[in-house]
Short mmCIF file of all heavy atoms in Angstrom, two decimals:
data_model
loop_
_atom_site.label_atom_id
_atom_site.label_comp_id
_atom_site.label_asym_id
_atom_site.label_seq_id
_atom_site.Cartn_x
_atom_site.Cartn_y
_atom_site.Cartn_z
N ALA A 40 6.54 -3.38 10.07
CA ALA A 40 5.95 -4.30 9.24
C ALA A 40 4.68 -3.73 8.49
O ALA A 40 4.49 -3.94 7.27
CB ALA A 40 5.55 -5.63 9.92
N ALA A 41 3.97 -2.93 9.23
CA ALA A 41 2.68 -2.37 8.67
C ALA A 41 3.06 -1.48 7.58
O ALA A 41 2.42 -1.36 6.56
CB ALA A 41 1.90 -1.63 9.75
N GLY A 42 4.13 -0.54 7.81
CA GLY A 42 4.54 0.33 6.75
C GLY A 42 5.00 -0.50 5.51
O GLY A 42 4.69 0.01 4.36
N LYS A 43 5.68 -1.54 5.59
CA LYS A 43 6.10 -2.34 4.47
C LYS A 43 4.88 -2.95 3.75
O LYS A 43 4.84 -3.11 2.58
CB LYS A 43 7.05 -3.43 4.89
CG LYS A 43 8.41 -2.83 5.33
CD LYS A 43 9.30 -3.92 5.73
CE LYS A 43 10.66 -3.21 6.09
NZ LYS A 43 11.73 -4.11 6.42
N ILE A 44 3.91 -3.33 4.54
CA ILE A 44 2.67 -4.01 3.95
C ILE A 44 1.92 -2.91 3.14
O ILE A 44 1.46 -3.23 2.05
CB ILE A 44 1.78 -4.54 5.04
CG1 ILE A 44 2.26 -5.84 5.70
CG2 ILE A 44 0.39 -4.83 4.50
CD1 ILE A 44 1.67 -6.31 6.86
N TYR A 45 1.85 -1.66 3.65
CA TYR A 45 1.22 -0.57 2.81
C TYR A 45 1.98 -0.34 1.54
O TYR A 45 1.33 -0.09 0.51
CB TYR A 45 1.06 0.68 3.76
CG TYR A 45 0.07 0.57 4.83
CD1 TYR A 45 0.41 1.12 5.94
CD2 TYR A 45 -1.29 0.24 4.45
CE1 TYR A 45 -0.57 0.98 7.06
CE2 TYR A 45 -2.20 0.11 5.47
CZ TYR A 45 -1.88 0.57 6.71
OH TYR A 45 -2.78 0.55 7.76
N GLY A 46 3.30 -0.44 1.53
CA GLY A 46 4.14 -0.26 0.30
C GLY A 46 3.70 -1.42 -0.62
O GLY A 46 3.60 -1.21 -1.82
N ALA A 47 3.68 -2.62 -0.08
CA ALA A 47 3.37 -3.82 -0.93
C ALA A 47 1.92 -3.73 -1.57
O ALA A 47 1.72 -4.17 -2.71
CB ALA A 47 3.54 -5.07 -0.18
N MET A 48 1.05 -3.15 -0.83
CA MET A 48 -0.31 -3.01 -1.36
C MET A 48 -0.30 -2.06 -2.48
O MET A 48 -0.99 -2.22 -3.45
CB MET A 48 -1.25 -2.52 -0.22
CG MET A 48 -1.50 -3.46 0.82
SD MET A 48 -2.45 -2.87 2.32
CE MET A 48 -3.83 -2.21 1.61
N ASN A 49 0.36 -0.94 -2.45
CA ASN A 49 0.53 0.02 -3.44
C ASN A 49 1.05 -0.65 -4.80
O ASN A 49 0.55 -0.44 -5.87
CB ASN A 49 1.42 1.24 -3.07
CG ASN A 49 1.34 2.31 -4.03
OD1 ASN A 49 0.40 2.46 -4.70
ND2 ASN A 49 2.37 3.10 -4.02
N PHE A 50 2.12 -1.39 -4.58
CA PHE A 50 2.71 -2.15 -5.74
C PHE A 50 1.68 -3.13 -6.26
O PHE A 50 1.59 -3.32 -7.46
CB PHE A 50 3.97 -2.91 -5.26
CG PHE A 50 4.65 -3.70 -6.31
CD1 PHE A 50 5.40 -3.07 -7.34
CD2 PHE A 50 4.52 -5.02 -6.24
CE1 PHE A 50 5.97 -3.83 -8.25
CE2 PHE A 50 5.15 -5.82 -7.28
CZ PHE A 50 5.86 -5.18 -8.27
N ALA A 51 0.95 -3.86 -5.34
CA ALA A 51 0.03 -4.85 -5.82
C ALA A 51 -1.12 -4.10 -6.76
O ALA A 51 -1.53 -4.74 -7.68
CB ALA A 51 -0.62 -5.55 -4.72
N VAL A 52 -1.47 -3.01 -6.40
CA VAL A 52 -2.61 -2.25 -7.13
C VAL A 52 -2.09 -2.00 -8.57
O VAL A 52 -2.76 -2.33 -9.49
CB VAL A 52 -2.92 -0.96 -6.44
CG1 VAL A 52 -3.80 -0.05 -7.35
CG2 VAL A 52 -3.78 -1.32 -5.10
N TRP A 53 -0.95 -1.37 -8.61
CA TRP A 53 -0.34 -1.14 -10.01
C TRP A 53 -0.12 -2.36 -10.78
O TRP A 53 -0.38 -2.44 -11.95
CB TRP A 53 0.96 -0.25 -9.82
CG TRP A 53 0.64 1.15 -9.48
CD1 TRP A 53 0.83 1.74 -8.24
CD2 TRP A 53 0.07 2.13 -10.29
NE1 TRP A 53 0.44 3.05 -8.19
CE2 TRP A 53 -0.03 3.31 -9.52
CE3 TRP A 53 -0.30 2.20 -11.60
CZ2 TRP A 53 -0.59 4.53 -9.92
CZ3 TRP A 53 -0.78 3.45 -12.11
CH2 TRP A 53 -0.94 4.59 -11.31
N SER A 54 0.39 -3.38 -10.19
CA SER A 54 0.68 -4.59 -10.89
C SER A 54 -0.65 -5.22 -11.33
O SER A 54 -0.69 -5.87 -12.45
CB SER A 54 1.36 -5.64 -9.95
OG SER A 54 2.71 -5.16 -9.62
N SER A 55 -1.67 -5.19 -10.55
CA SER A 55 -2.93 -5.78 -10.96
C SER A 55 -3.54 -5.04 -12.23
O SER A 55 -4.06 -5.71 -13.12
CB SER A 55 -3.98 -5.67 -9.80
OG SER A 55 -3.54 -6.45 -8.71
N ILE A 56 -3.38 -3.70 -12.21
CA ILE A 56 -3.87 -2.98 -13.34
C ILE A 56 -3.13 -3.31 -14.62
O ILE A 56 -3.71 -3.41 -15.68
CB ILE A 56 -3.86 -1.48 -13.06
CG1 ILE A 56 -4.91 -1.12 -11.91
CG2 ILE A 56 -4.01 -0.61 -14.36
CD1 ILE A 56 -4.87 0.30 -11.51
N MET A 57 -1.74 -3.49 -14.55
CA MET A 57 -1.06 -3.84 -15.65
C MET A 57 -1.36 -5.31 -16.12
O MET A 57 -1.43 -5.57 -17.30
CB MET A 57 0.52 -3.70 -15.42
CG MET A 57 0.89 -2.27 -15.27
SD MET A 57 2.69 -2.05 -15.12
CE MET A 57 2.94 -2.45 -13.44
N LEU A 58 -1.52 -6.19 -15.12
CA LEU A 58 -1.78 -7.58 -15.48
C LEU A 58 -3.18 -7.65 -16.12
O LEU A 58 -3.34 -8.41 -17.14
CB LEU A 58 -1.82 -8.39 -14.21
CG LEU A 58 -2.21 -9.86 -14.35
CD1 LEU A 58 -1.16 -10.56 -15.23
CD2 LEU A 58 -2.41 -10.54 -12.94
N LEU A 59 -4.16 -7.01 -15.68
CA LEU A 59 -5.49 -6.97 -16.24
C LEU A 59 -5.39 -6.44 -17.66
O LEU A 59 -6.02 -7.03 -18.52
CB LEU A 59 -6.47 -6.18 -15.50
CG LEU A 59 -7.91 -6.12 -15.94
CD1 LEU A 59 -8.53 -7.47 -16.02
CD2 LEU A 59 -8.70 -5.14 -15.11
N TYR A 60 -4.63 -5.49 -17.97
CA TYR A 60 -4.45 -4.91 -19.33
C TYR A 60 -3.91 -6.03 -20.28
O TYR A 60 -4.47 -6.22 -21.38
CB TYR A 60 -3.43 -3.76 -19.23
CG TYR A 60 -3.09 -3.26 -20.63
CD1 TYR A 60 -3.99 -2.43 -21.28
CD2 TYR A 60 -1.84 -3.51 -21.22
CE1 TYR A 60 -3.77 -2.04 -22.58
CE2 TYR A 60 -1.60 -3.00 -22.46
CZ TYR A 60 -2.50 -2.33 -23.24
OH TYR A 60 -2.23 -1.97 -24.46
N TYR A 61 -2.87 -6.71 -19.82
CA TYR A 61 -2.29 -7.71 -20.66
C TYR A 61 -3.14 -8.96 -20.93
O TYR A 61 -3.20 -9.55 -21.94
CB TYR A 61 -0.94 -8.14 -20.15
CG TYR A 61 0.17 -7.05 -20.43
CD1 TYR A 61 0.70 -6.38 -19.38
CD2 TYR A 61 0.56 -6.82 -21.70
CE1 TYR A 61 1.64 -5.38 -19.75
CE2 TYR A 61 1.40 -5.80 -21.97
CZ TYR A 61 2.03 -5.11 -20.90
OH TYR A 61 2.93 -4.13 -21.19
N VAL A 62 -4.03 -9.21 -19.88
CA VAL A 62 -5.05 -10.30 -20.07
C VAL A 62 -6.06 -9.95 -21.05
O VAL A 62 -6.43 -10.73 -22.02
CB VAL A 62 -5.67 -10.64 -18.69
CG1 VAL A 62 -6.84 -11.53 -18.83
CG2 VAL A 62 -4.59 -11.33 -17.79
N ILE A 63 -6.57 -8.74 -20.90
CA ILE A 63 -7.59 -8.27 -21.93
C ILE A 63 -6.98 -8.14 -23.26
O ILE A 63 -7.72 -8.57 -24.30
CB ILE A 63 -8.10 -6.84 -21.48
CG1 ILE A 63 -8.92 -6.99 -20.14
CG2 ILE A 63 -9.01 -6.19 -22.62
CD1 ILE A 63 -9.36 -5.74 -19.63
N ILE A 64 -5.83 -7.60 -23.42
CA ILE A 64 -5.15 -7.56 -24.68
C ILE A 64 -4.97 -9.04 -25.39
O ILE A 64 -5.12 -9.27 -26.58
CB ILE A 64 -3.80 -6.85 -24.74
CG1 ILE A 64 -3.98 -5.40 -24.27
CG2 ILE A 64 -2.95 -6.97 -25.93
CD1 ILE A 64 -4.73 -4.55 -25.45
N GLY A 65 -4.59 -9.89 -24.56
CA GLY A 65 -4.29 -11.21 -24.97
C GLY A 65 -5.53 -12.00 -25.37
O GLY A 65 -5.63 -12.79 -26.33
N LEU A 66 -6.68 -11.81 -24.58
CA LEU A 66 -7.90 -12.57 -24.84
C LEU A 66 -8.77 -11.88 -25.88
O LEU A 66 -9.32 -12.64 -26.75
CB LEU A 66 -8.70 -12.67 -23.56
CG LEU A 66 -8.12 -13.60 -22.46
CD1 LEU A 66 -8.93 -13.60 -21.22
CD2 LEU A 66 -7.99 -15.05 -22.99
N LEU A 67 -8.85 -10.66 -25.80
CA LEU A 67 -9.88 -10.01 -26.71
C LEU A 67 -9.32 -9.19 -27.91
O LEU A 67 -9.96 -8.95 -28.85
CB LEU A 67 -10.71 -8.93 -25.90
CG LEU A 67 -11.36 -9.39 -24.67
CD1 LEU A 67 -12.10 -8.30 -23.90
CD2 LEU A 67 -12.39 -10.51 -25.04
N ASN A 68 -8.01 -8.89 -27.90
CA ASN A 68 -7.29 -8.21 -29.03
C ASN A 68 -8.08 -6.97 -29.46
O ASN A 68 -8.53 -6.85 -30.59
CB ASN A 68 -7.16 -9.12 -30.11
CG ASN A 68 -6.06 -8.55 -31.12
OD1 ASN A 68 -5.31 -7.63 -30.72
ND2 ASN A 68 -5.89 -9.09 -32.25
N PRO A 69 -8.40 -6.01 -28.46
CA PRO A 69 -9.22 -4.89 -28.82
C PRO A 69 -8.39 -3.87 -29.77
O PRO A 69 -7.21 -3.98 -29.99
CB PRO A 69 -9.47 -4.25 -27.61
CG PRO A 69 -8.40 -4.61 -26.63
CD PRO A 69 -7.94 -5.92 -27.05
N SER A 70 -9.05 -2.97 -30.35
CA SER A 70 -8.44 -1.94 -31.12
C SER A 70 -7.59 -0.93 -30.28
O SER A 70 -7.61 -0.97 -29.07
CB SER A 70 -9.46 -1.13 -31.98
OG SER A 70 -10.17 -0.33 -31.00
N TRP A 71 -6.79 -0.11 -30.93
CA TRP A 71 -5.94 0.75 -30.26
C TRP A 71 -6.70 1.78 -29.44
O TRP A 71 -6.22 2.33 -28.52
CB TRP A 71 -5.02 1.50 -31.30
CG TRP A 71 -5.86 2.40 -32.24
CD1 TRP A 71 -6.33 1.97 -33.44
CD2 TRP A 71 -6.21 3.61 -32.06
NE1 TRP A 71 -6.99 3.02 -34.00
CE2 TRP A 71 -6.92 4.04 -33.24
CE3 TRP A 71 -5.96 4.64 -31.07
CZ2 TRP A 71 -7.42 5.37 -33.42
CZ3 TRP A 71 -6.51 5.90 -31.29
CH2 TRP A 71 -7.19 6.33 -32.46
N LYS A 72 -8.03 1.98 -29.73
CA LYS A 72 -8.81 2.93 -28.99
C LYS A 72 -9.08 2.43 -27.54
O LYS A 72 -9.34 3.22 -26.74
CB LYS A 72 -10.20 3.11 -29.84
CG LYS A 72 -9.98 3.87 -31.17
CD LYS A 72 -11.31 3.82 -31.81
CE LYS A 72 -11.06 4.23 -33.27
NZ LYS A 72 -12.25 4.12 -34.09
N PHE A 73 -8.98 1.17 -27.34
CA PHE A 73 -9.15 0.63 -25.98
C PHE A 73 -8.10 1.25 -25.05
O PHE A 73 -8.46 1.59 -23.93
CB PHE A 73 -8.96 -0.90 -26.02
CG PHE A 73 -8.81 -1.51 -24.67
CD1 PHE A 73 -10.04 -1.70 -23.95
CD2 PHE A 73 -7.60 -1.98 -24.21
CE1 PHE A 73 -9.91 -2.26 -22.67
CE2 PHE A 73 -7.59 -2.53 -22.97
CZ PHE A 73 -8.72 -2.70 -22.14
N ASN A 74 -6.92 1.57 -25.52
CA ASN A 74 -5.94 2.19 -24.60
C ASN A 74 -6.39 3.49 -24.18
O ASN A 74 -5.92 3.93 -23.06
CB ASN A 74 -4.53 2.28 -25.46
CG ASN A 74 -3.94 1.05 -25.66
OD1 ASN A 74 -4.05 0.07 -24.82
ND2 ASN A 74 -3.35 0.91 -26.77
N LEU A 75 -7.04 4.26 -25.00
CA LEU A 75 -7.49 5.63 -24.60
C LEU A 75 -8.49 5.65 -23.61
O LEU A 75 -8.69 6.64 -22.88
CB LEU A 75 -8.12 6.23 -25.87
CG LEU A 75 -7.29 6.54 -27.12
CD1 LEU A 75 -8.02 7.08 -28.25
CD2 LEU A 75 -6.08 7.44 -26.78
N VAL A 76 -9.18 4.47 -23.39
CA VAL A 76 -10.14 4.43 -22.25
C VAL A 76 -9.46 3.69 -21.03
O VAL A 76 -9.68 4.15 -19.89
CB VAL A 76 -11.46 3.61 -22.60
CG1 VAL A 76 -12.35 3.40 -21.54
CG2 VAL A 76 -12.18 4.45 -23.84
N TYR A 77 -8.84 2.64 -21.30
CA TYR A 77 -8.31 1.71 -20.21
C TYR A 77 -7.35 2.48 -19.29
O TYR A 77 -7.36 2.48 -18.05
CB TYR A 77 -7.67 0.49 -20.72
CG TYR A 77 -7.20 -0.41 -19.68
CD1 TYR A 77 -8.15 -1.32 -19.05
CD2 TYR A 77 -5.93 -0.50 -19.22
CE1 TYR A 77 -7.69 -2.15 -18.00
CE2 TYR A 77 -5.48 -1.23 -18.25
CZ TYR A 77 -6.38 -2.12 -17.55
OH TYR A 77 -6.07 -2.88 -16.43
N TRP A 78 -6.18 3.09 -19.92
CA TRP A 78 -5.23 3.62 -19.08
C TRP A 78 -5.58 4.89 -18.30
O TRP A 78 -5.30 4.86 -17.07
CB TRP A 78 -3.96 4.02 -19.92
CG TRP A 78 -3.26 2.72 -20.26
CD1 TRP A 78 -3.08 2.25 -21.51
CD2 TRP A 78 -2.65 1.82 -19.37
NE1 TRP A 78 -2.41 0.96 -21.44
CE2 TRP A 78 -2.16 0.68 -20.18
CE3 TRP A 78 -2.39 1.78 -17.99
CZ2 TRP A 78 -1.54 -0.35 -19.57
CZ3 TRP A 78 -1.91 0.63 -17.35
CH2 TRP A 78 -1.33 -0.44 -18.23
N PRO A 79 -6.42 5.78 -18.76
CA PRO A 79 -6.89 6.80 -17.93
C PRO A 79 -7.77 6.29 -16.77
O PRO A 79 -7.73 6.71 -15.58
CB PRO A 79 -7.67 7.78 -18.75
CG PRO A 79 -7.09 7.58 -20.13
CD PRO A 79 -6.78 6.12 -20.15
N ALA A 80 -8.67 5.37 -17.08
CA ALA A 80 -9.47 4.65 -16.03
C ALA A 80 -8.71 3.88 -15.04
O ALA A 80 -8.95 4.01 -13.86
CB ALA A 80 -10.53 3.74 -16.67
N GLY A 81 -7.69 3.11 -15.52
CA GLY A 81 -6.77 2.43 -14.59
C GLY A 81 -6.04 3.29 -13.75
O GLY A 81 -5.75 3.11 -12.52
#
Side-chain angles (χ1 to χ4, degrees):
K43 290 181 180 182
I44 288 170
Y45 287 131
M48 288 169 57
N49 190 27
F50 178 76
V52 167
W53 287 104
S54 296
S55 299
I56 288 172
M57 288 187 285
L58 177 66
L59 181 62
Y60 173 76
Y61 286 112
V62 168
I63 291 171
I64 292 294
L66 292 177
L67 302 177
N68 197 16
S70 73
W71 62 272
K72 296 174 188 172
F73 171 74
N74 290 325
L75 297 176
V76 174
Y77 183 83
W78 285 114

